[in-house]
């Protein structure tokens, strides 16, 4: 089997792995492997092919990392929460646990709600402020009368 064919197969496997995991860095490694395949087509020996794959792959991974670090990840917490459709929605809480959490039915499923701030844990209507994993972080829709 030609080395270029091996590199193309490795490139395809890396792309499939990227599609299954959603890891953008695997796509950058695949670019390095594709560069090695092109080097093989141009007649480079195996050592040069491996060097091309390593250098191009590392350079694209580094460029992708620096770009995401500079811009911030598209899935970073604040941006994800700003775009989340549940923020601002209301839930009705009947009973609070001593750890300031409650089990609520929301969107047809059971959720854990956690009370933000120093608000008293009273039954009533609460507004979703943000999500942490599968927890709704809530605050009262109206301030409690003291």
């Amino acid at each position: 089997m030609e080395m270029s064919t091996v590199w193309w197969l490795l490139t395809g496997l890396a792309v499939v792995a990227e599609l299954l995991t959603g890891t953008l860095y695997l796509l950058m490694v695949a670019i390095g492997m594709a560069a090695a395949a092109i080097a093989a087509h141009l007649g480079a020996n195996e050592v040069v092919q491996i060097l091309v794959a390593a250098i191009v792959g590392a350079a694209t991974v580094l460029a992708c990392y620096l770009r995401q670090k500079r811009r911030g990840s598209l899935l970073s917490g604040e941006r994800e929460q700003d775009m989340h459709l549940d923020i601002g929605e209301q839930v009705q809480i009947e009973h609070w646990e001593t750890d300031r959490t409650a089990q609520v039915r929301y969107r047809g499923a059971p959720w854990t709600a956690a009370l933000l701030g120093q608000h008293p844990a009273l039954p009533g209507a609460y507004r979703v402020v943000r999500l942490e994993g599968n927890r709704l972080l809530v605050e009262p829709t109206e301030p409690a009368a003291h």
Side-chain angles (χ1 to χ4, degrees), residues 111-129:
W111 288 72
T112 298
L115 184 58
L116 289 175
Q118 298 302 315
H119 305 287
L122 302 171
Y126 288 80
R127 182 177 66 87
V128 176
V129 176

Side-chain angles (χ1 to χ4, degrees), residues 20-34:
L20 293 174
T21 62
T23 304
L24 187 62
Y25 296 112
L26 282 173
L27 196 56
M28 303 300 111
V29 171
I31 291 171
M33 291 179 192

Side-chain angles (χ1 to χ4, degrees), residues 1 17 26-27 29 32 39 57 61 64 71 80 88 93 100 104 109 117 127 131 137-138 143 146:
M1 183 180 304
L26 282 173
L27 196 56
V29 171
V61 165
C64 182
R71 288 183 46 202
E80 181 181 340
I93 298 178
R100 297 171 59 84
V104 296
R127 182 177 66 87
L131 278 77
L137 301 180
V138 299
H146 293 290

Side-chain angles (χ1 to χ4, degrees), residues 7 10 17 21 23 29 38 40 42 48 50 53 58 60 62 74 76-77 85-86 97 114 128 131 137 139 143 145:
W7 285 113
L10 290 172
T21 62
T23 304
V29 171
I38 293 169
L42 295 175
V48 172
I50 292 170
T60 55
L62 180 63
L74 292 177
S76 69
L85 299 176
D86 294 320
E97 301 296 331
V128 176
L131 278 77
L137 301 180
E139 65 183 9

Side-chain angles (χ1 to χ4, degrees), residues 4 7 14 17 27 39 41-42 53 75 92 122 130 133 135 144:
S4 61
W7 285 113
L27 196 56
H41 282 297
L42 295 175
L75 297 177
Q92 190 68 29
L122 302 171
R130 67 178 190 265
R135 293 183 119 199

Side-chain angles (χ1 to χ4, degrees), residues 53-125:
I55 292 168
V56 172
T60 55
V61 165
L62 180 63
C64 182
Y65 171 78
L66 292 174
R67 182 173 181 253
Q68 281 188 337
K69 187 174 180 181
R70 188 182 72 236
R71 288 183 46 202
S73 174
L74 292 177
L75 297 177
S76 69
E78 290 301 317
R79 288 185 184 172
E80 181 181 340
Q81 290 169 357
D82 288 344
M83 294 173 44
H84 209 289
L85 299 176
D86 294 320
I87 294 175
E89 293 296 317
Q90 286 192 10
V91 293
Q92 190 68 29
I93 298 178
E94 302 301 326
H95 172 74
W96 287 99
E97 301 296 331
T98 56
D99 63 353
R100 297 171 59 84
T101 63
Q103 295 299 311
V104 296
R105 193 114 180 113
Y106 177 63
R107 289 192 289 140
W111 288 72
T112 298
L115 184 58
L116 289 175
Q118 298 302 315
H119 305 287
L122 302 171

